[in-house]
Amino acid sequence: MERMEWERLLSVQRERGSSGRRRSTDLRSEFEKDYHRIIGSASFRRLQDKTQVFPLDKSDFIRTRLTHSLEVASFGKSLGQNIGENILTYRRDPGFTPKMREDISHILECAGLIHDIGNPPFGHFGELAIREWFRRNLPKLTFRGLLVEKMLTEQMKQDFYHFEGNAQALRLVTRLHYLVDEYGMNLTYGLLNTIIKYPVPSTEISPHSSNIRDRKMGYYYADREIFEKITAATGTGNRRHPLTFILEAADDLAYKTADIEDAFVKGFITYYTLEKELEELERDHAEIYDDTTFRPLEKLRRLRARGLEKSVDSPESYAVKNWIVSAQGFLISCATYGFTSNYDAIMEGEYEHDLFYGTFGAPLMDLLGDMAHRHVFSTSAIYKMELTESAILNFLMDRLVRAVLNYDTQENQDSIDGRIVSLISDNYKNAYRLHSEGKSEAEKLYLRLLLVTDYVCGMTDSYAKRLYQEMNGII
């Protein structure tokens, strides 16, 4: 395939074109307009009540999906500015202009805001719970005496078995945000392509592939046409959009550093835990940290000493929180280097790794992720929360799927199922009716199952819990 070009990658095309009426007083770029569409949406506001790590937490310090998304937007914009300036300064691309530098910063800021907008309640565990529900139950479901699994095509089935918040995000912003019409938020193709982290369907996933683009699905069978329109307009085809690498780096940087800070505040790790882990990191990677200006262990200890000098209430807390900020600065530099040093491979669509791969930041990123897994995600406190979340999601999936099987068919639907379907947002039902028109019986059934996941993914943590309690008569 041809090398990707920024002029096409930064496509301002939208699913619904302009009305042709231009307001001379509106000086915003198309990507700045995207920003205002996003922050004014109900879907974005709901992120304030969705889990990042700690579900239904009563602390006002702990991050939610909303605060996480704002941090990703901030890091994405900073990385975009750094990388854009580097491309201009070192003339890496003759067609790259100062306006393009501004455009990629705006796109990345917007992409950071919506990258998790499709995630269900209760964080990544919610995704896992929904996938496992389908793996357990789809083979047993029947419709008109036939096994549902036999009625669906292979891709339809795999969409549910590999249910993915990334694919749901594309679906939400292009189909489900039914405000003006069926085009959702009607965002630019340049932005939409940036949030497609995995440009493959569910039937082509390779979880252990050396190429990160293949490890999850990026779009549902139901949304294949919009995927093809977007990637044709930007010229990416089945390759990753270059800005997707930057978005992913901003996301990884945000959550890996934030998880450590939140874990510290919640008491899962201490200053001394972090100090010990950093001692081992520097011992195992002495060749790196002898050669960099950022030495994680030394920085942490210096910050604690400064906290003691300042007589702060907790020198350890002062050290950890300020160390996080310093680490973020170091890792932004590493991601910038990761992109610019692999620029040609990225633009050819041949780069297979994340932006930290092969940089001085890679061991630190690995350590932060591993620490969160060992000290937080594998603890009994988190397991207990996940058992509660599993009970809620399994119950809701059981009742909702049963209710939609006969929806919009000639089959009788009992009174309770009818009442349950009435709870589903009109936005989602409008999208179902629009996209099911003229479709086969099997595809309509597939779209009704998607109607359930659309509704569940639109729920906040509190709403899912409250609906579970109300449907079980717990008042």
Side-chain angles (χ1 to χ4, degrees):
M1 292 181 74
E2 294 179 356
R3 181 185 175 94
M4 290 181 276
E5 298 176 356
W6 286 109
E7 191 168 347
R8 290 185 69 186
L9 290 167
L10 305 180
S11 171
V12 297
Q13 186 177 338
R14 302 179 190 272
E15 184 79 341
R16 178 185 5 94
S18 168
S19 64
R21 297 190 302 271
R22 294 184 60 84
R23 289 179 293 170
S24 58
T25 55
D26 190 347
L27 302 179
R28 296 174 300 167
S29 72
E30 291 302 314
F31 306 117
E32 288 173 302
K33 291 175 186 174
D34 282 345
Y35 178 86
H36 290 96
R37 290 177 188 215
I38 293 163
I39 62 170
S41 71
S43 303
F44 179 66
R45 289 195 297 277
R46 287 193 194 103
L47 294 173
Q48 69 189 307
D49 188 17
K50 285 196 174 188
T51 294
Q52 178 58 23
V53 176
F54 301 98
L56 304 170
D57 195 89
K58 294 181 174 59
S59 165
D60 59 4
F61 176 87
I62 300 302
R63 288 166 173 84
T64 64
R65 283 281 175 197
L66 179 64
T67 46
H68 166 69
S69 297
L70 291 169
E71 288 173 339
V72 175
S74 176
F75 289 136
K77 185 175 184 179
S78 295
L79 281 167
Q81 290 168 334
N82 287 359
I83 289 167
E85 187 61 32
N86 183 284
I87 297 170
L88 285 171
T89 301
Y90 294 98
R91 296 182 175 83
R92 296 185 187 278
D93 204 311
F96 193 83
T97 66
K99 183 181 182 302
M100 289 175 175
R101 176 189 57 197
E102 298 306 311
D103 285 344
I104 67 172
S105 294
H106 290 309
I107 290 175
L108 287 163
E109 185 174 29
C110 291
L113 295 180
I114 60 173
H115 79 286
D116 274 349
I117 206 165
N119 280 47
F122 311 126
H124 289 298
F125 180 77
E127 289 178 283
L128 176 63
I130 292 171
R131 279 197 291 273
E132 291 185 345
W133 188 93
F134 278 113
R135 287 171 187 166
R136 284 194 312 272
N137 293 283
L138 192 58
K140 298 182 290 186
L141 283 180
T142 60
F143 175 68
R144 291 178 175 165
L146 299 173
L147 283 170
V148 169
E149 193 181 42
K150 299 289 186 186
M151 296 176 66
L152 303 181
T153 67
E154 189 61 25
Q155 188 174 348
M156 291 175 186
K157 287 185 294 188
Q158 295 303 324
D159 282 357
F160 296 116
Y161 294 149
H162 296 279
F163 170 79
E164 178 63 46
N166 290 291
Q168 189 67 26
L170 178 67
R171 179 168 174 76
L172 174 65
V173 298
T174 59
R175 294 286 179 256
L176 305 180
H177 196 267
Y178 200 105
L179 184 62
V180 177
D181 53 29
E182 67 270 26
Y183 300 122
M185 291 187 192
N186 199 35
L187 302 172
T188 56
Y189 284 179
L191 169 56
L192 292 174
N193 206 165
T194 299
I195 67 168
I196 301 172
K197 289 174 69 174
Y198 308 99
V200 295
S202 57
T203 48
E204 294 178 20
I205 296 169
S206 179
H208 305 296
S209 170
S210 61
N211 193 331
I212 53 176
R213 66 175 282 283
D214 300 327
R215 293 178 189 168
K216 297 179 182 179
M217 73 166 172
Y219 60 95
Y220 296 118
Y221 171 78
D223 305 318
R224 65 199 182 284
E225 289 178 9
I226 184 65
F227 169 80
E228 288 164 3
K229 283 182 185 177
I230 292 165
T231 55
T234 59
T236 56
N238 62 355
R239 299 172 292 183
R240 257 194 173 188
H241 193 294
L243 297 188
T244 306
F245 289 97
I246 306 175
L247 172 65
E248 183 174 57
D251 185 20
D252 291 348
L253 167 55
Y255 85 76
K256 287 191 176 183
T257 54
D259 285 356
I260 298 302
E261 186 175 15
D262 286 355
F264 174 79
V265 170
K266 294 286 289 182
F268 284 86
I269 64 171
T270 67
Y271 166 89
Y272 300 102
T273 308
L274 181 58
E275 184 181 47
K276 182 173 181 295
E277 298 271 4
L278 293 179
E279 281 178 356
E280 292 178 10
L281 175 74
E282 292 201 9
R283 184 172 65 247
D284 293 343
H285 299 279
E287 74 287 354
I288 288 178
Y289 296 109
D290 286 345
D291 210 20
T292 65
T293 54
F294 180 75
R295 303 189 65 173
L297 179 61
E298 181 184 322
K299 183 67 176 178
L300 181 71
R301 286 172 171 165
R302 282 210 315 267
L303 285 165
R304 182 174 179 273
R306 187 191 301 169
L308 287 167
E309 287 173 19
K310 290 177 174 289
S311 300
V312 299
D313 288 341
S314 172
E316 289 77 20
S317 178
Y318 175 90
V320 171
K321 291 178 181 178
N322 281 282
W323 181 86
I324 292 289
V325 175
S326 298
Q328 288 169 344
F330 166 67
L331 292 167
I332 284 174
S333 298
C334 293
T336 301
Y337 176 78
F339 190 95
T340 55
S341 63
N342 293 289
Y343 184 76
D344 289 332
I346 288 170
M347 296 303 288
E348 296 285 351
E350 295 172 354
Y351 188 65
E352 298 188 343
H353 309 286
D354 64 62
L355 296 187
F356 295 103
Y357 179 84
T359 72
F360 288 159
L364 179 58
M365 288 290 284
D366 289 343
L367 173 68
L368 296 177
D370 186 52
M371 278 184 68
H373 176 75
R374 285 183 285 111
H375 295 288
V376 183
F377 299 120
S378 300
T379 62
S380 60
I382 293 295
Y383 285 162
K384 285 177 185 176
M385 290 180 192
E386 290 174 347
L387 288 172
T388 301
E389 296 156 16
S390 177
I392 292 171
L393 287 172
N394 284 332
F395 174 82
L396 293 176
M397 291 294 295
D398 285 343
R399 299 305 299 269
L400 287 162
V401 169
R402 189 178 78 184
V404 302
L405 282 177
N406 292 331
Y407 172 64
D408 189 38
T409 70
Q410 301 302 314
E411 302 298 312
N412 288 328
Q413 188 176 43
D414 72 35
S415 59
I416 295 300
D417 286 347
R419 284 166 171 76
I420 290 173
V421 170
S422 74
L423 298 174
I424 299 176
S425 164
D426 286 342
N427 277 3
Y428 304 146
K429 286 187 282 197
N430 285 340
Y432 163 77
R433 279 191 286 269
L434 184 74
H435 297 116
S436 65
E437 195 173 331
K439 297 293 195 300
S440 68
E441 197 64 59
E443 192 160 348
K444 285 183 178 180
L445 179 56
Y446 163 75
L447 290 171
R448 290 199 296 279
L449 293 174
L450 273 185
L451 179 58
V452 172
T453 51
D454 290 342
Y455 179 42
V456 171
C457 288
M459 295 180 186
T460 63
D461 292 9
S462 296
Y463 179 81
K465 179 184 177 184
R466 187 168 66 249
L467 184 60
Y468 169 81
Q469 291 171 330
E470 290 169 349
M471 290 174 75
N472 279 287
I474 302 169
I475 301 173

